Each structure stands twice: as structure tokens, then as C-alpha cells.
Amino acid sequence: MNEIEAVNIDVSIDLNRDVFFRDVLRHLTGTLQDVVGLDDASGFVSVVGQRIGDELNEQYKSALQLEKLDREQVTQVLISLKHKISGNFVVVSQTDEKIILQSTSCPFGDKVKGRPSLCMMTSNVFGVIAAENLGYAKVQLSETIAKGSDGCKVVIYLQQNQESNDASGIDYFQG
């Protein structure tokens, strides 16, 4: 069969670039979780999330022509970036102490189910952007689609206090 004949094959399968790359990520993180364990797999994904968080932070600040974002701008940036990748987060509440976001969809789609290490992308991107602009962030993934919830609920603590100290999550500091 030559290349022209292969292009003309019309079969109904769910395959496009987006689905393919989500499958690659699902199998990559699944393999990492199986081989090195969930904690180490999450660590590897965290490194990637840190780099992406740094890049997105710089892109947004440059596009907004700002050297630093305030809390409201950080919240809007987090919502904006997730919407751009089909994360569809909304603000539940925000104060000077914390931002609570919620979503019923994941950029990784159903491929995230059973792959909680992929959630480190959200944690790190949110944590890096918040901490780099506001000085500190602790990200708590209180509900995730990856662990079987219908949606995701993310609490981003912006101050170190008793509530944030008692919460599970990852601390991020301005670098």
C-alpha cells in the first residue's frame, strides 16, 4: 500500500493529534507510576509543571505588560490558561488568604482517570504563577477527576497561617 492509498482510508476511530498526545501522556505517566511509584512519578511531572509554570507566567506578564500580577490578575490568568487548554475552571471564591477554583473537565480528558501524577501539572503551574507574583502559595488538590471525583477543586492558599499549615498540599515560594 502506498502513502496515497493510506490517506484515503476512511474508518471511524477516535484519533486526532489531541487524543494521540493525551494517550501518550496517559501511558507515560501510567508507566512511571507502575515502575517508580506514584510519589516519584508525581515528582517527574512536577519538574515539567514547574518549567511550564515559569514559561506561562512570563508569557502572561509580557502580554499584559506587567512585571508582577496582583491577586485578581493571578486568578484571571489561572482561569484563562485553563480555558485555553479546555480545563474550564471557575472561581468559587477568592480572598487575600486563598483562591478556590473548581472544574468539571480536565485538559487531559478522561485520560487523567487513574493518573493522579498528571495533577501535578495543575498544582505546579498554579503554584508557580501564584508564588512568583504574590510571594507564596500552597496548592491543595482537594478533589480530582484523576482520583474519581466528578470534578476538580483546587485551593490556593496565599498566606502561611494556621489554615494553610493544616491543609495538605504543596508549598511554593517566590524564586
Side-chain angles (χ1 to χ4, degrees):
M1 178 181 303
N2 66 37
E3 189 174 331
I4 293 172
E5 290 176 77
V7 171
N8 291 327
I9 294 175
D10 186 23
V11 294
S12 180
I13 63 171
D14 185 24
L15 182 64
N16 58 45
R17 182 171 37 180
D18 183 56
V19 170
F20 176 77
F21 283 118
R22 283 188 283 145
D23 279 340
V24 168
L25 284 172
R26 174 176 175 70
H27 291 297
L28 178 61
T29 56
T31 301
L32 277 170
Q33 286 177 199
D34 292 344
V35 173
V36 300
L38 179 58
D39 289 343
D40 285 342
S42 296
F44 285 117
V45 175
S46 292
V47 172
V48 175
Q50 168 82 39
R51 291 178 181 161
I52 290 174
D54 286 335
E55 289 173 5
L56 289 172
N57 186 44
E58 290 306 316
Q59 287 176 21
Y60 272 96
K61 289 189 314 184
S62 176
L64 294 167
Q65 298 180 344
L66 296 170
E67 289 196 29
K68 197 167 270 214
L69 307 172
D70 64 25
R71 179 184 44 82
E72 178 64 32
Q73 291 164 331
V74 165
T75 302
Q76 293 306 312
V77 163
L78 300 181
I79 296 295
S80 169
L81 72 88
K82 281 297 186 172
H83 276 259
K84 288 181 183 295
I85 60 172
S86 300
N88 300 321
F89 274 82
V90 296
V91 178
V92 173
S93 67
Q94 63 176 313
T95 65
D96 288 337
E97 294 181 356
K98 65 184 171 185
I99 302 165
I100 302 175
L101 304 175
Q102 203 162 16
S103 177
T104 56
S105 65
C106 178
F108 300 113
D110 64 345
K111 308 300 182 187
V112 76
K113 291 180 180 175
R115 301 297 187 263
S117 60
L118 279 173
C119 298
M120 291 299 93
M121 290 299 293
T122 295
S123 180
N124 278 272
V125 170
F126 283 8
V128 164
I129 292 172
E132 286 301 320
N133 290 286
L134 304 174
Y136 168 81
K138 181 174 194 172
V139 178
Q140 178 186 44
L141 305 171
S142 58
E143 297 174 18
T144 66
I145 295 168
K147 289 186 177 178
S149 295
D150 290 334
C152 295
K153 183 177 178 184
V154 180
V155 181
I156 304 150
Y157 296 94
L158 305 174
Q159 297 176 7
Q160 287 183 292
N161 55 30
Q162 192 62 47
E163 183 182 11
S164 66
N165 289 339
D166 291 344
S168 61
I170 299 173
D171 292 289
Y172 299 86
F173 299 91
Q174 190 172 39

